[in-house]
Amino acid sequence: MSEILDLAGIFVFALTGALMGVRKRLDVVGMAVLAEMTALGGGVVRDLILNVRPAAFVSLGYVLVPLAATVIVAFWHPHVARVMPAIMVLDAAGLGLFSAVGTEKALDYGLNPLHAVLLGVTTAVGGGMLRDMLAGEIPTLLYDRQLYAVPAMAGSAAMAGLYVTDLHGWPATLAAALLAFGLRIAAMRYGWRAPLARGVRPSE
Amino acid sequence: MSEILDLAGIFVFALTGALMGVRKRLDVVGMAVLAEMTALGGGVVRDLILNVRPAAFVSLGYVLVPLAATVIVAFWHPHVARVMPAIMVLDAAGLGLFSAVGTEKALDYGLNPLHAVLLGVTTAVGGGMLRDMLAGEIPTLLYDRQLYAVPAMAGSAAMAGLYVTDLHGWPATLAAALLAFGLRIAAMRYGWRAPLARGVRPSE
Amino acid sequence: MSEILDLAGIFVFALTGALMGVRKRLDVVGMAVLAEMTALGGGVVRDLILNVRPAAFVSLGYVLVPLAATVIVAFWHPHVARVMPAIMVLDAAGLGLFSAVGTEKALDYGLNPLHAVLLGVTTAVGGGMLRDMLAGEIPTLLYDRQLYAVPAMAGSAAMAGLYVTDLHGWPATLAAALLAFGLRIAAMRYGWRAPLARGVRPSE
């Protein structure tokens, strides 16, 4: 069950990577590299910090799913781009899931709650940051003021809170993921924005 | 004592990260990400290479201090920018400290002196390079010809030299850090510059 | 023997890094950083994922050879640039070697063949991607449509295929490296290109 959810999150993240490749007019190899990096980057960094072999290098699906996403985008990207609003919803689901699962894994490996939250957020947003950097752009996360890291942080904090009160298992993980997902959707729906430093005018 | 010095270095590096965020008109989340990456990036890379859990994921202060630096910059950045010359001096102190401490840790983990110097320099300059790349710029270190990596290298080499002659402990660390600090200050004061390749004209 | 081949590959990759530094008018420190990163980056990432101390931090030659390449480029870069076609051939040799050796090491550490191929390709192309990102460019690999990752993938796949049929040892490694080398040379010679996503027009 958790494996399937994981692969679903990887698939959606890979779609955003491959679509970025199309937008930048990369060839299919470049699209595949971006898809793999976006989908697997956050988890690889998490596992390197936890000092375990990255999950992406243990399970076959982790490598194959981004390739499938690349093929789909290469052939049907106008259709994929047309369903972009739906993809953004799925991306929010991936964000929620990865922040909850990443935090839980960090807690399982003995990190204290604050560090586990930091690592959970890294898992959720790391791949997207890598994707943007590879594509020659400042990571969207840093400047676009839409709340993206903050919902991940809320989900991670909820996961850590449930964990330290001994509420483990998939219902806790799902609840934390849903919180992050809901906040991300609400942030998009209502245009919630992160503040700028005092006195800084927005660039638009 | 060494913990306090470490946190001071982290604080100053985080200030430069958050200020870069203001300059790029990032929101506060982006500022916090840059602050954390600048302050912790070099040490995390060092510890990944040494194959130990990164110090940033063991001690709470390492995560909280960059957040405090972000809050300070978000509210009072015009004042912070005004004291930039003082910050550059503190940054030189952080550079010295991180190169000495990073080299020592690498030697403690059994690296030979040359590799320990390489890793000490990585510790000192890695976070700043990450900061510049995330902000969409070529790392200052690579092109601006001011001596920055070279003082770090001198401090690291001094640390390694003292270590192999069995002079351990904080006086040795402090001496090495002071050498790097002094060279960095002198480089700024007297405008010492790294040479270009033969026949290459400066870009300014 | 394998050590010498490894150092030859490192030397060529370091040349391309230092030359990128000249093109971007970096100072000699920046050139050295680019040379080290280009030459060692792919292998360091591979070893971090395999959870072993990076080879670059065990053997002295790995650190010194890129410095030698930097000195050569700093003094004689017009001559080095003039022999660029020869360097591209050597770079193809480095690509082949690194993909074969990287895949073999990954298999030795128990990765299954698909993951080993992924890691072999990472070893071969990772340093060049880092070089381009540090120089403020989108990695050439992603967009320029010349086949570069694909020959590496073929060499890695051949290595994995030989390995699982119990053909180990340097003849197998050499055969896999030669396959990647030959494909890369043929791709340059005949202008083989990776396809774009359907309907995307080339940028030139």
Side-chain angles (χ1 to χ4, degrees):
Chain A
M1 178 59 186
S2 119
E3 174 89 3
I4 289 175
L5 284 178
D6 240 30
L7 290 176
I10 283 172
F11 180 71
V12 177
F13 278 8
L15 283 183
T16 71
L19 280 170
M20 169 69 93
V22 171
R23 180 136 55 91
K24 293 274 168 178
R25 298 207 277 189
L26 306 185
D27 59 49
V28 291
V29 175
M31 289 169 62
V33 172
L34 276 192
E36 295 279 355
M37 291 281 213
T38 310
L40 307 181
V44 167
V45 170
R46 175 200 62 207
D47 292 345
L48 289 181
I49 286 173
L50 292 177
N51 216 356
V52 293
R53 177 159 298 171
F57 287 89
V58 176
S59 151
L60 283 181
Y62 283 60
V63 176
L64 297 176
V65 161
L67 292 183
T70 304
V71 170
I72 290 170
V73 170
F75 281 100
W76 298 286
H77 59 92
H79 305 277
V80 176
R82 206 174 306 135
V83 295
M84 203 62 206
I87 289 178
M88 291 310 291
V89 172
L90 291 170
D91 181 81
L95 182 78
L97 199 68
F98 278 33
S99 61
V101 170
T103 306
E104 191 176 23
K105 187 165 184 179
L107 291 161
D108 284 343
Y109 277 84
L111 261 60
N112 65 49
L114 180 70
H115 289 127
V117 168
L118 182 63
L119 209 47
V121 173
T122 303
T123 310
V125 308
M129 290 180 71
L130 254 177
R131 174 198 63 210
D132 295 345
M133 289 177 75
L134 282 166
E137 304 201 335
I138 297 179
T140 322
L141 175 73
L142 295 183
Y143 67 85
D144 98 334
R145 304 187 58 200
Q146 276 196 38
L147 297 188
Y148 194 84
V150 172
M153 211 176 297
S156 293
M159 183 75 240
L162 291 167
Y163 196 99
V164 297
T165 53
D166 254 339
L167 288 160
H168 292 239
W170 67 264
T173 313
L174 197 66
L178 279 174
L179 174 66
F181 172 70
L183 284 175
R184 172 68 184 138
I185 294 290
M188 288 195 283
R189 176 72 184 75
Y190 299 108
W192 293 343
R193 321 199 88 194
L196 297 166
R198 199 160 65 170
V200 173
R201 267 163 310 144
S203 23
E204 309 99 317
Chain B
M1 178 59 186
S2 120
E3 174 88 3
I4 289 174
L5 284 178
D6 240 30
L7 290 177
I10 283 171
F11 181 71
V12 177
F13 278 7
L15 283 183
T16 71
L19 280 170
M20 170 68 93
V22 170
R23 180 135 56 90
K24 293 274 169 179
R25 298 208 276 190
L26 307 185
D27 59 51
V28 291
V29 175
M31 289 169 61
V33 172
L34 276 192
E36 295 279 356
M37 292 280 213
T38 310
L40 308 180
V44 167
V45 170
R46 176 200 61 207
D47 292 345
L48 289 180
I49 287 172
L50 292 177
N51 215 356
V52 292
R53 176 159 298 172
F57 287 89
V58 176
S59 150
L60 283 180
Y62 282 60
V63 176
L64 297 175
V65 161
L67 292 183
T70 304
V71 170
I72 289 169
V73 170
F75 280 100
W76 299 285
H77 59 91
H79 305 278
V80 176
R82 207 173 306 134
V83 295
M84 203 61 205
I87 290 178
M88 291 309 291
V89 172
L90 291 170
D91 182 81
L95 183 78
L97 200 68
F98 278 35
S99 61
V101 170
T103 306
E104 191 176 23
K105 187 165 184 179
L107 292 162
D108 283 342
Y109 277 85
L111 262 59
N112 66 49
L114 180 70
H115 289 128
V117 168
L118 182 63
L119 209 48
V121 174
T122 303
T123 310
V125 309
M129 290 180 70
L130 255 178
R131 173 197 63 209
D132 295 345
M133 289 178 75
L134 282 167
E137 304 201 335
I138 297 179
T140 321
L141 176 72
L142 295 183
Y143 66 86
D144 99 332
R145 303 186 59 201
Q146 275 197 38
L147 297 188
Y148 193 83
V150 172
M153 213 177 295
S156 292
M159 183 73 239
L162 291 168
Y163 195 98
V164 298
T165 52
D166 255 339
L167 287 160
H168 292 240
W170 68 263
T173 314
L174 197 64
L178 279 174
L179 174 68
F181 172 71
L183 284 174
R184 170 69 184 138
I185 294 289
M188 289 195 284
R189 176 73 183 76
Y190 299 108
W192 292 344
R193 323 199 86 194
L196 296 165
R198 199 160 65 169
V200 173
R201 268 163 310 143
S203 22
E204 309 99 317
Chain C
M1 177 60 185
S2 121
E3 175 90 3
I4 289 174
L5 284 178
D6 240 29
L7 290 176
I10 283 172
F11 180 71
V12 178
F13 278 6
L15 284 182
T16 70
L19 280 170
M20 169 68 94
V22 171
R23 180 135 56 91
K24 293 273 168 179
R25 300 208 274 189
L26 306 186
D27 59 51
V28 292
V29 176
M31 289 169 61
V33 172
L34 276 191
E36 296 279 355
M37 291 280 212
T38 310
L40 308 180
V44 167
V45 170
R46 176 200 61 207
D47 292 345
L48 289 181
I49 287 172
L50 292 177
N51 215 355
V52 292
R53 177 161 297 173
F57 287 89
V58 176
S59 150
L60 283 180
Y62 282 59
V63 176
L64 296 175
V65 162
L67 292 183
T70 303
V71 169
I72 289 169
V73 171
F75 280 101
W76 298 286
H77 59 91
H79 305 277
V80 176
R82 206 175 307 135
V83 295
M84 203 62 205
I87 289 178
M88 290 310 291
V89 172
L90 291 170
D91 181 82
L95 183 79
L97 199 69
F98 278 34
S99 61
V101 170
T103 306
E104 191 176 22
K105 187 166 184 179
L107 292 162
D108 283 342
Y109 277 85
L111 261 61
N112 66 49
L114 180 70
H115 289 128
V117 168
L118 181 63
L119 208 48
V121 174
T122 303
T123 309
V125 309
M129 289 180 71
L130 255 177
R131 174 198 62 210
D132 296 344
M133 288 178 75
L134 282 166
E137 304 201 335
I138 297 179
T140 322
L141 176 72
L142 295 183
Y143 66 85
D144 100 334
R145 303 187 57 201
Q146 276 197 36
L147 297 188
Y148 193 84
V150 171
M153 213 176 296
S156 293
M159 183 74 240
L162 291 168
Y163 195 99
V164 297
T165 53
D166 255 338
L167 287 160
H168 293 238
W170 69 262
T173 314
L174 197 64
L178 279 174
L179 174 66
F181 172 71
L183 284 174
R184 170 71 184 137
I185 294 289
M188 288 195 284
R189 175 72 183 74
Y190 299 108
W192 292 343
R193 323 200 87 194
L196 296 166
R198 199 160 64 170
V200 173
R201 268 163 309 145
S203 22
E204 310 100 317

